[in-house]
Amino acid sequence: MSHTCGFVAIVGRPNVGKSTLMNRILGQKVSITSRRPQTTRHQVMGIKTEGDAQFIYVDTPGMHIMGKDRNKAINRFMNQAASQALRDVDCVVFIIDRTRWTAEDQVVLDKLAHVQAPVILAINKVDWLEDKASLLPWLEQVSAKREFAAILPLSAKHGTNVPELEAEVARYLPESIHYYPEDQITDRSQRFLAAELVREKVMRQLGDELPYQMTVEIEEFRDEGRVIHISALILVERQGQKKILIGESGERIKKIGREARLEMERALGAKVMLNLWVKVKRGWSDDDRALKSLGYDLD
Ligand SMILES: Nc1nc2c(ncn2[C@@H]2O[C@H](COP(=O)(O)OP(=O)(O)OP(=O)(O)O)[C@@H](O)[C@H]2O)c(=O)[nH]1
Ligand SMILES: [Mg+2]
């Protein structure tokens, strides 16, 4: 009879594996991932219902220190979105990357000082830990940093110890009715997912030449049942970035479009006709009004 349901924020600095962990727990891709830091820009909910328990995970943008290339309105937005996710949660999963501790991990830890909810520390990417013997002394060191409800070494990518993390989280779900139907997996729309998948493919294709100031806007999302027509606009800030994105005789943009379309078809279970456009829109990433109209809106 007793149902449990609660919010679980997944926080950490950029690139530690927050989105990979949430997708792993859900068993499907709800949040995009890449090797580049600052991939996630919004809060994205991942809902998992298992019998009487409903877990509402909230993936967040990596908390980062502002400065140089990171003093824009978009960076402010991302940090706010991450901090906001800590309000009124029942449990926090704080992720770090192996035995590294950076100034940005410290920023996250400081943010957690005011959080009443239990904090579980996940030491991620242990599959990639060269010196396994370093883990034991590290566990001791991090446990002195604050009171953690648990500390778990795991691998979000391979799934090692992830069920153990879920079992730990389950202990902190309060008794409550379920807020979402049991087959719902996210709060985000298909339209949002489509935009994110395009952004992911751009981030994965472009390595170091990636114009960080890039965003995607869906201009058309027309569901005709067996076919979904999607037009997406990739916005960059400079003409040179547009050139890079399009590539020699359009090769690169074609590849991005192909990969995004295939993944959309898998996720949406329909055939997708995808049109991609690249446009220069100067200064959007540092303009609060432009950001709002592009979907970067905390409300
Ligand atoms: N080897 C290894 N790589 C991992 C693991 N978890 C995540 N990664 C990789 O780390 C990179 C970053 O993963 P994300 O899930 O995008 O990280 P994030 O914390 O969501 O990053 P932001 O959204 O930018 O804050 C990707 O290349 C992942 O494949 C892991 O357990 N082991
Ligand atoms: Mg992420």
Side-chain angles (χ1 to χ4, degrees), residues 10 14 25 66-67 74 96 111 127 130 208 213 215-216 222 235 250 256 275:
I10 304 178
I25 289 171
M66 308 272 291
I74 179 89
I96 60 175
K111 278 260 182 269
D127 58 283
E130 293 91 17
D208 289 337
Q213 270 77 44
T215 193
V216 177
R222 191 158 41 86
L235 296 174
I256 291 167
N275 271 311

Side-chain angles (χ1 to χ4, degrees), residues 15-20 38-40 62 124-125 127 155-157:
N15 211 37
V16 292
K18 298 178 292 299
S19 305
T20 304
Q38 301 186 306
T39 301
T40 305
N124 191 27
K125 309 195 189 184
D127 58 283
S155 169
K157 191 170 180 176

Side-chain angles (χ1 to χ4, degrees), residues 62-276:
M63 289 185 190
H64 57 280
I65 297 171
M66 308 272 291
K68 273 206 315 204
D69 316 330
R70 299 164 140 195
N71 60 353
K72 301 243 154 89
I74 179 89
N75 295 91
R76 222 159 26 239
F77 170 87
M78 288 162 68
N79 276 329
Q80 276 168 10
S83 298
Q84 208 184 55
L86 290 170
R87 277 194 225 148
D88 303 320
V89 285
D90 300 295
C91 177
V92 176
V93 177
F94 169 24
I95 307 190
I96 60 175
D97 182 346
R98 292 164 287 167
T99 55
R100 291 195 191 142
W101 186 266
T102 70
E104 290 186 325
D105 292 307
Q106 187 63 42
V107 167
V108 183
L109 186 74
D110 293 344
K111 278 260 182 269
L112 293 172
H114 314 288
V115 171
Q116 300 291 318
V119 177
I120 299 170
L121 182 70
I123 302 177
N124 191 27
K125 309 195 189 184
V126 291
D127 58 283
W128 194 15
L129 194 64
E130 293 91 17
D131 177 16
K132 304 272 181 216
S134 63
L135 198 54
L136 214 57
W138 180 236
L139 286 174
E140 204 165 314
Q141 270 185 55
V142 285
S143 64
K145 292 186 188 289
R146 73 159 279 153
E147 178 132 347
F148 291 111
I151 303 180
L152 280 164
L154 52 86
S155 169
K157 191 170 180 176
H158 299 284
T160 322
N161 254 347
V162 172
E164 285 75 3
L165 173 72
E166 295 182 68
E168 193 59 38
V169 169
R171 298 177 50 194
Y172 302 107
L173 298 184
E175 248 180 61
S176 158
I177 54 151
H178 292 178
Y179 298 140
Y180 293 93
E182 68 175 321
D183 56 354
Q184 186 168 344
I185 189 150
T186 182
D187 62 329
R188 293 289 181 172
S189 62
Q190 295 186 330
R191 201 183 167 102
F192 176 83
L193 179 69
E196 289 287 271
L197 286 175
V198 173
R199 203 161 60 75
E200 179 187 82
K201 300 313 168 203
V202 173
M203 294 193 77
R204 289 186 178 189
Q205 271 288 312
L206 261 69
D208 289 337
E209 329 144 274
L210 176 82
Y212 174 63
Q213 270 77 44
M214 175 272 299
T215 193
V216 177
E217 195 179 15
I218 300 294
E219 291 212 305
E220 184 191 28
F221 189 104
R222 191 158 41 86
D223 190 345
E224 289 183 349
R226 273 180 50 244
V227 185
I228 304 175
H229 296 262
I230 301 173
S231 285
L233 199 58
I234 303 174
L235 296 174
V236 292
E237 297 224 325
R238 286 196 300 277
Q239 196 58 36
Q241 298 172 336
K242 178 172 168 176
K243 263 202 173 129
I244 292 173
L245 210 61
I246 291 173
E248 292 270 338
S249 64
E251 273 318 304
R252 188 169 264 146
I253 193 75
K254 261 186 228 153
K255 191 151 185 244
I256 291 167
R258 188 161 56 241
E259 287 179 5
R261 176 177 54 78
L262 288 173
E263 203 160 326
M264 286 173 192
E265 290 184 336
R266 232 176 297 140
L268 304 175
K271 198 169 155 49
V272 169
M273 304 287 281
L274 176 65
N275 271 311
L276 287 184

